Amino acid sequence: AVAQALTEYAALNDPEKGFEAVRDDFEMVFKEYGNTGAGEQARIVFAKICYDASQFDLSYEHYLEALDVYEDQAAMESLLLSALGHVCIAKKDYKAAQSYFKKVEKADGSILKDDALYSLALIADAAGSREKSRALYEKIAAEYGQSLYAPLARSKAGSQQ
């Protein structure tokens, strides 16, 4: 059911139409297979479909449910916390976004620390906290030099001096 829904979603090449086309299919999967590994992975896929269709409340709900399942797996937990942070930015709930990104930054072995720091810097920048955002940009450049965010961070840190 999920593979067929994803094929249909991709064929439409429009996030909003795709969301409408596959929503019922995913709801059936959650009802029938929600407590299985495949059902939980489908939840994450659907959360991203919701996000791309600007269905941010629904995206948040599904990412949060997935986090309950994967909270003991560091890489998945970081991925889901980061996704929740990005959903909160889209919802303009910057305080909640900061909370999620700070959890990613502090997590042991997180593979998304550079993304979290960059997102925190952007939030600080948008709030007018230039000193805080510059410090975060400098930290990215210094500690995550190989990150795709490093050149952006160096540029932003330099423009704030």
Side-chain angles (χ1 to χ4, degrees):
V2 173
Q4 184 177 348
L6 290 175
T7 300
E8 182 178 359
Y9 177 79
L12 289 170
N13 201 27
D14 179 305
E16 288 154 8
K17 288 179 183 172
F19 166 77
E20 292 299 331
V22 302
R23 181 179 189 168
D24 290 341
D25 295 329
F26 275 95
E27 292 299 331
M28 185 276 302
V29 168
F30 303 144
K31 188 180 287 185
E32 299 290 323
Y33 308 103
N35 293 329
T36 68
E40 289 304 330
Q41 289 181 0
R43 184 172 304 286
I44 296 168
V45 171
F46 186 64
K48 176 69 168 116
I49 288 172
C50 294
Y51 180 88
D52 290 343
S54 299
Q55 298 289 324
F56 302 124
D57 290 335
L58 196 53
S59 178
Y60 182 87
E61 176 186 312
H62 285 288
Y63 278 131
L64 199 57
E65 284 185 46
L67 182 61
D68 286 340
V69 173
Y70 292 104
E71 67 187 345
D72 62 338
Q73 297 177 30
M76 284 299 294
E77 181 181 34
S78 290
L79 176 80
L80 293 167
L81 288 169
S82 181
L84 285 162
H86 287 288
V87 171
C88 288
I89 287 174
K91 292 173 59 167
K92 298 183 179 9
D93 184 350
Y94 302 112
K95 187 172 184 166
Q98 281 181 311
S99 172
Y100 287 118
F101 290 125
K102 285 179 181 178
K103 288 178 184 177
V104 174
E105 179 197 8
K106 293 180 184 344
D108 290 335
S110 174
I111 57 171
L112 296 171
K113 288 187 182 197
D114 57 338
D115 174 70
L117 287 169
Y118 192 77
S119 296
L120 288 167
L122 290 176
I123 292 168
D125 211 8
S129 300
R130 299 280 186 244
E131 194 171 303
K132 184 177 182 179
S133 65
R134 189 178 74 241
L136 289 165
Y137 290 133
E138 289 172 352
K139 182 175 182 174
I140 295 165
E143 295 179 20
Y144 301 94
Q146 299 303 312
S147 166
L148 76 112
Y149 294 105
L152 295 167
R154 280 191 284 278
S155 174
K156 288 193 175 272
S159 71
Q160 292 184 353
Q161 293 184 5

